[in-house]
Amino acid sequence: MAKAVHLGAWFLTGCIASSCVSWLGALHPALFRVMWVVYIVASASLVLALVTDDAIRPFLKLSEPDYYAMLIAIAAAIFLGGVLTWLIAG
């Protein structure tokens, strides 16, 4: 139970960070480009982590279900930030 709460807290932290990045991107046109760079880098690192999962997972000392749960949570946080950008920027 404690592990689920811990992972849920990290997911909410990722959602808050993603929402903060999208909000900053909606404030000023110059920050809009920076926001997309942050999202592109995060998406590229997510894909890289998915491709190199056999090398990274033992380094992080995570079990396979925990590793993929972490990747799914990161992808969901990135997706929620993108949806927020779409809703704010119109």
Side-chain angles (χ1 to χ4, degrees), residues 5-89:
V5 171
H6 179 74
L7 292 176
W10 276 110
F11 172 70
L12 289 177
T13 302
C15 288
I16 291 168
S18 183
S19 299
C20 181
V21 167
S22 66
W23 175 70
L24 287 173
L27 282 180
H28 196 272
L31 293 175
F32 190 73
R33 291 183 182 182
V34 174
M35 175 205 62
W36 280 113
V37 168
V38 169
Y39 279 135
I40 289 170
V41 168
S43 298
S45 62
L46 180 68
V47 168
L48 186 65
L50 188 61
V51 170
T52 61
D53 61 344
D54 291 334
I56 294 176
R57 192 172 46 86
F59 176 73
L60 295 175
K61 298 177 183 164
L62 291 172
S63 66
E64 189 173 349
D66 288 342
Y67 182 73
Y68 287 115
M70 182 183 70
L71 290 181
I72 290 169
I74 291 170
I78 291 172
F79 176 75
L80 288 176
V83 168
L84 185 66
T85 302
W86 175 67
L87 289 174
I88 290 175

